[in-house]
Amino acid sequence: MRHGSSRGRQAGFDGPGARRQGVLAAVALAGCGALLVTGCSPAGGPGSAAGSSPPGTAAAGPGSPGPSGSPSASPQVSAPPAKGSVTVTGEVAKGLESPWGVAPLPGGDLLVASRDKGTISRVAADTGAVTQIGKVPGVAPGGEGGLLGLALSPSFASDRLVYAYFTTESDNRIARMRYDEQRPAGQQLGAPDTVFRGIPKGLVHNGGRIAFGPDKMLYAGTGETGDKGLAQDRKSLGGKILRMTPDGDPVHGNPEADSVVYSYGHRNVQGLAWDKDKRLWAAEFGQNTWDELNLIEPGANYGWPEAEGKAGRPGMRDPVAVWKTDEASPSGIAWAEGSVWMAGLKGSRLWRIPLAGAELAAEPEAFLEGKYGRLRTVLALGGDRLLLVTSETDGRGSPEAGDDRILTLTVR
């Protein structure tokens, strides 16, 4: 741990443990994959059936018609405090190699993907023990590619399916595998069933975050692989946010029939999260000037490469918040306590973005600057608890003894 000290920041970006008390219980609250991060709804919860409208599109805004069709009074939008806090409360695991995607299991343990090894391991939340459950066939790590995002099926309790986004020799794709805990360690993953293929791959800008939304549909953030033109090409899957059924099919209600493209004009999306009102937020790497936090609307154009940051271009959506690239280079995000929490790679810090509805409630705040190095993934555990995954062993950090780590946080 480097409390109070700063570690060197690296040029370029990609896009035990003491105090384990309470970790198991906190992680168990994540249940079916951390409700607000993966959007997985409990049985009987608000998740809607396949083919329903995208989340966040039906909420009435100020002055809009209410349920009866008459104008509703402008609602009071609650906002979190202008100033927040972050306390590191424990260390779940250490000594991880190139951790990227993380999926909380029912009961509290974690599944963690190693980008460069192409393996998925189970981390015991109470002891920190790391056990490999299997290797994903076909993963071709290189540059920013490899085994990236993980998500549990919305029906994981019955189907035991783990979804993974990964780079192959020819593309980026999403596959699902059955997790059988009764089989020997290292052989617990079934053969991958590819549900979606053909996402462009590159040495850089592979995107990779996947999550199930409140509608139980599968969302994926992709990158433009360094080929800027792909982001504005509606026929390309690069530089997009995709929305599909758990089987990989387009969803009724997507902006275009027979297309999984949900939004476009993105450079490299590695962060997806929904707030309490089911609005979708995404973190995006800028090029040389501005990193972005965007509020995602179906069919919207987020500007890249014609716009970076708050450009005010007609027909293009401006981000809600921006950062200089050396202060952020954002990967994972989560929503908790009225704020989006954003992990910074090159920035080596955790950003708090307080929100009042769809707008900033106060200026973003930085926490943990330089204390744990590059930060890759944030997961909401419910209430004021988060998990934070470091990324010092990804080839662009300066790993020290114990890297990489998974930490538990209490936030406000």
Side-chain angles (χ1 to χ4, degrees):
M1 300 269 188
R2 288 156 290 271
H3 295 285
S5 65
S6 179
R7 53 196 304 168
R9 299 188 194 114
Q10 304 302 303
F13 56 87
D14 52 12
R19 298 181 306 227
R20 274 212 178 87
Q21 298 171 338
V23 170
L24 179 59
V27 177
L29 289 175
C32 185
L35 298 183
L36 283 173
V37 177
T38 66
C40 184
S41 300
S48 54
S52 62
S53 296
T57 59
S64 60
S68 66
S70 59
S72 58
S74 296
Q76 289 281 30
V77 179
S78 62
K83 297 296 182 182
S85 64
V86 172
T87 303
V88 178
T89 55
E91 181 181 273
V92 180
K94 62 181 180 179
L96 302 173
E97 182 176 336
S98 61
W100 213 101
V102 179
L105 292 166
D109 288 357
L110 306 171
L111 295 183
V112 182
S114 170
R115 186 193 71 182
D116 297 340
K117 294 170 64 178
T119 58
I120 299 177
S121 296
R122 181 167 181 155
V123 175
D126 54 349
T127 67
V130 179
T131 305
Q132 183 175 315
I133 67 168
K135 187 167 186 175
V136 180
V139 174
E144 295 170 10
L147 180 57
L148 304 174
L150 294 181
L152 300 186
S153 163
S155 304
F156 180 79
S158 58
D159 63 28
R160 313 301 290 176
L161 292 176
V162 178
Y163 285 70
Y165 181 116
F166 59 94
T167 311
T168 73
E169 293 290 352
S170 60
D171 64 358
N172 285 299
R173 63 183 59 178
I174 301 169
R176 58 189 175 192
M177 297 151 284
R178 192 176 305 278
Y179 176 29
D180 184 354
E181 299 173 48
Q182 303 305 313
R183 300 180 66 183
Q187 303 174 36
Q188 296 176 338
L189 288 178
D193 169 24
T194 300
V195 298
F196 197 82
R197 68 179 73 229
I199 302 168
K201 62 161 283 188
L203 284 176
V204 295
H205 307 176
N206 289 286
R209 196 69 62 181
I210 57 174
F212 281 95
D215 54 359
K216 299 185 181 180
M217 297 297 104
L218 180 60
Y219 292 72
T222 76
E224 33 79 307
T225 71
D227 183 350
K228 298 178 182 179
L230 297 184
Q232 291 293 320
D233 181 353
R234 298 291 292 271
K235 297 185 183 302
S236 171
L237 299 170
K240 309 293 189 296
I241 292 175
L242 311 179
R243 177 179 181 248
M244 64 191 76
T245 70
D247 294 327
D249 298 320
V251 184
H252 176 71
N254 275 3
E256 294 184 10
D258 301 322
S259 174
V260 298
V261 173
Y262 191 67
S263 63
Y264 68 107
H266 299 289
R267 185 170 181 266
N268 190 22
V269 175
Q270 289 188 6
L272 298 171
W274 287 263
D275 64 23
K276 65 180 180 62
D277 295 315
K278 302 181 183 180
R279 285 178 288 252
L280 174 58
W281 298 86
E284 179 169 346
F285 291 82
Q287 181 168 265
N288 298 317
T289 310
W290 298 113
D291 292 326
E292 302 177 357
L293 178 70
N294 285 296
L295 175 62
I296 303 302
E297 296 289 345
N301 179 0
Y302 289 84
W304 180 255
E306 280 80 6
E308 180 182 359
K310 296 186 177 182
R313 294 284 188 90
M316 297 179 179
R317 298 296 179 92
D318 277 352
V320 173
V322 296
W323 296 262
K324 293 292 187 181
T325 54
D326 61 353
E327 295 178 344
S329 298
S331 189
I333 62 173
W335 186 91
E337 296 295 290
S339 298
V340 168
W341 301 82
M342 186 177 79
L345 288 165
K346 188 178 178 183
S348 298
R349 67 198 80 176
L350 179 68
W351 282 99
R352 172 186 184 258
I353 304 101
L355 298 171
E359 299 179 353
L360 279 180
E363 287 300 309
E365 293 179 276
F367 295 93
L368 307 179
E369 185 175 350
K371 290 186 178 181
Y372 297 97
R374 295 162 59 82
L375 305 179
R376 172 69 66 183
T377 294
V378 194
L379 287 176
L381 298 180
D384 61 356
R385 307 300 301 274
L386 296 178
L387 280 180
L388 180 64
V389 183
T390 70
S391 191
E392 282 291 289
T393 59
D394 67 352
R396 288 179 171 163
S398 299
E400 299 178 3
D403 287 333
D404 272 307
R405 308 168 189 273
I406 300 177
L407 307 170
T408 53
L409 313 178
T410 298
V411 300
R412 179 177 69 85

